[in-house]
Amino acid sequence: MAADVDKTTAGDHEDRATPSNRRARSRFKQLSSLFIIAAVPFIGFCIKYYQDTQLVKRHEEGLKALGADGLFFFSSLDTDHDLYLSPEEFKPIAEKLTGVAPPPEFEEEIPHDPNGETLTLHAKMQPLLLESMTKSRDGFLGVSHSSLSGLRSWKRPAVPSSTFYASQFKVFLPPSSKSALGDTWWIVPSELNIFTGYLPNNRYHPPTPRGKEVLIHSLLSMFHPRPFVKSRFAPQGVVACIRAASDFYYDIVFRIHAEFQLNDVPNFPFWFTPGQFAGNIILSQDASHIREFHLYVPNDKTLNVDMEWLYGASESSNMEVDIGYLPQMELKAAGPSTPSVIYDEQGNVIDSRGEGGSGRTLRETVLESSPVLALLNQSFISSWSLVKELEDLQGDKKNLDLSEKARLHLEMYTFPVEMMVALPNGTVVHHINANNFLDQTSMKPEEEEGPALSFSGGFEDPSTSTYIRFLQEGLEKARPYLES
């Protein structure tokens, strides 16, 4: 028996020891895992504590170096609140100091069709009635002049007229799931809730608009250069509803809650918040054509604007609040959207909007000027002729008089548009190509070569003064013919 026992192999001992070793290794792994699990939050806490400590230290250093007011202005630019200014955060100051703004890099969700129709909008505004404000009852006692500087100086729209691509208004179309009358949807959804709270007050420059915000921002920028598409408090966003529909059109009503920042550094922020922007748009279901567009601040109530302005250099500083009445703030389409390119029966382009001059360019600029129209009505018979029409007249052997006049005009014509001053017999006494005209009006006075076309005449718009000079020179060149 003893011999049998003694014959137990070393392998048998190892096998009998294996379960115990395994349990020991398992316990070690568990303890190690628990230690790592416990260490990760601790390390995270240490990192967070270090970052917070550094942030507090930088805040104290900033307060010491800049003072409360200076730190306030610094914080208004420091959008990520790390107490460092990145090049992107410093950009508003650079633009203000240099006067040069780089082209905006808007992230547009829906591309527009550059060859599609265009829509011209006109902005109208009557400034807020200061006497409607509660503070006016005691003569704005205790209200600093700098606080209201932005409000007092805002008398008219920043951009009285602007042209958009019709396809840009695709943002107003309903989503595929919304097609019935009365359906509503968010164009720019509200991002405020009980957890997010409200957006900060100590800001001067709106964030870069994204996606569907781009068009809304562009529209509101016609009133003032600093619109905030997303207001600080609820209600926030843009909502729309289908009011009517046909096989081709949607009639959509919409409501916008946005606000403007009227003050700039060194004055403290002044927030101007209309009760709402209401509006409607009638557009084709593919947004290729806009029939009507109207956006406005309702003025049927005695008070329709909320105003708030800060008196200190921190988010918790004292804030004054008042309300007032804005008689008018609206955008309205000059008419339905119009084609960018017009073709004749043969498919030839007879008018287009491009880099060069066109009939549309002239009609929407100098030929809308009151001084130009007055001179034309006084001394000219003003008309338009298409090249195709002149070519047809030139080939008309039954009317040799008109044929000769058409020939004289065609000899002077250069693509795309030629402006001419002609005598009743068809003799062209003065002419200039639209591209050359636009090149000259884009030049600064000191860059001009010779006295051909001057910017003098007392008109602020170079195009208007240059076109008037062109007409006056035409009259002078025609005088010898008329006197003989």
Side-chain angles (χ1 to χ4, degrees), residues 127-160:
L128 184 119
L129 301 180
L130 294 177
E131 61 269 23
S132 67
M133 297 175 64
T134 305
K135 305 291 184 189
S136 69
R137 296 173 187 171
D138 56 8
F140 294 100
L141 183 66
V143 179
S144 66
H145 181 76
S146 62
S147 296
L148 302 182
S149 60
L151 177 65
R152 292 182 186 274
S153 62
W154 191 23
K155 301 293 186 182
R156 58 188 61 85
V159 182

Side-chain angles (χ1 to χ4, degrees), residues 102-132:
E105 298 178 356
F106 290 160
E107 179 184 300
E108 188 151 1
E109 192 172 89
I110 302 174
H112 57 258
D113 179 8
N115 294 318
E117 297 188 357
T118 58
L119 182 73
T120 298
L121 298 181
H122 295 307
K124 293 183 178 180
M125 172 188 167
Q126 297 179 42
L128 184 119
L129 301 180
L130 294 177
E131 61 269 23
S132 67

Side-chain angles (χ1 to χ4, degrees), residues 304-316:
N304 59 356
V305 176
D306 177 80
M307 290 161 283
E308 299 175 337
W309 60 96
L310 291 176
Y311 268 126
S314 70
E315 189 67 28
S316 60

Side-chain angles (χ1 to χ4, degrees), residues 391-442:
E391 290 173 341
D392 290 344
L393 289 173
Q394 184 182 18
D396 186 2
K397 302 305 180 182
K398 296 181 180 180
N399 194 331
L400 297 179
D401 182 50
L402 282 179
S403 176
E404 177 62 13
K405 292 176 181 177
R407 183 190 67 80
L408 293 172
H409 282 72
L410 286 172
E411 285 182 351
M412 300 294 179
Y413 170 76
T414 304
F415 182 85
V417 173
E418 194 78 19
M419 296 175 282
M420 306 181 193
V421 177
L423 300 176
N425 64 4
T427 302
V428 177
V429 296
H430 195 32
H431 66 99
I432 184 173
N433 185 264
N435 284 345
N436 295 336
F437 171 81
L438 293 176
D439 287 342
Q440 294 189 41
T441 58
S442 66

Side-chain angles (χ1 to χ4, degrees), residues 315-361:
E315 189 67 28
S316 60
S317 297
N318 292 334
M319 174 176 280
E320 288 282 358
V321 179
D322 209 335
I323 49 180
Y325 179 70
L326 183 71
Q328 183 185 34
M329 180 179 282
E330 66 175 328
L331 299 178
K332 202 164 188 178
S337 59
T338 55
S340 302
V341 180
I342 301 176
Y343 302 91
D344 61 17
E345 294 85 350
Q346 286 74 41
N348 301 312
V349 175
I350 59 176
D351 194 8
S352 66
R353 181 195 67 245
E355 294 183 357
S358 72
R360 183 183 312 281
T361 304

